[in-house]
């Protein structure tokens, strides 16, 4: 029985960490990126993910509320987050903080004017 209890504690801790990650990630994204990809609004996701985090901390994993919260967190991470990241919403915009190249870059690299 101790093995099952340890496993459930580990699973509950992982769900709490995943919920916290999703909430912080949603908070760092731009609000207009959510509307641009037609995935509800930023306040909607902040409320849903905040409730999911609260529920994962307060209730045991075997009740139905943490399961509903886990579904919401998984939907955000699998569906909403990639779409919002593609728009470029938030801090993590690629290497060095740049998303793309300079305005003089061509399809095969920087354009140097024929030099």
């Amino acid at each position: 029985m101790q093995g099952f209890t340890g496993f459930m504690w580990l699973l509950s801790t992982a769900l709490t960490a995943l919920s916290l990650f999703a909430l912080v990630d949603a908070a760092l994204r731009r609000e207009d990126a959510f509307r641009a990809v037609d995935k509800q609004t930023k306040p909607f996701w902040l409320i849903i993910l905040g409730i999911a985090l609260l529920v994962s901390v307060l209730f045991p994993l075997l009740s139905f509320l943490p399961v509903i919260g886990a579904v919401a967190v998984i939907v955000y991470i699998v569906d909403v987050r990639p779409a919002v990241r593609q728009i470029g919403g938030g801090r993590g915009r690629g290497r060095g903080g740049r998303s793309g190249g300079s305005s003089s870059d061509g399809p095969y690299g920087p354009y140097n004017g024929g030099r």
Side-chain angles (χ1 to χ4, degrees):
M1 194 63 162
Q2 284 181 341
F4 180 73
T5 305
F7 174 73
M8 292 306 287
W9 177 84
L10 187 63
L11 197 60
S12 178
T13 303
L15 176 60
T16 302
L18 195 62
S19 299
L20 181 63
F21 168 76
L23 181 63
V24 169
D25 184 72
L28 293 177
R29 302 288 170 193
R30 293 186 345 224
E31 201 279 326
D32 61 334
F34 285 88
R35 286 183 278 125
V37 295
D38 199 29
K39 300 288 184 187
Q40 295 296 330
T41 61
K42 181 177 181 174
F44 171 83
W45 282 107
L46 289 176
I47 290 169
I48 294 296
L49 295 172
I51 291 171
L53 177 63
L54 186 67
V55 163
S56 71
V57 170
L58 294 179
F59 292 96
L61 191 60
L62 291 178
S63 64
F64 70 95
L65 289 176
V67 173
I68 294 171
V71 169
V73 169
I74 291 169
V75 166
Y76 175 80
I77 289 175
V78 171
D79 183 38
V80 178
R81 183 174 185 261
V84 172
R85 281 184 72 193
Q86 198 170 32
I87 295 295
R91 292 183 165 190
R93 295 180 61 159
R95 294 182 200 139
R98 290 177 40 170
S99 62
S102 76
S103 62
S104 65
D105 282 356
Y108 304 108
Y111 178 70
N112 61 11
R115 291 182 261 169

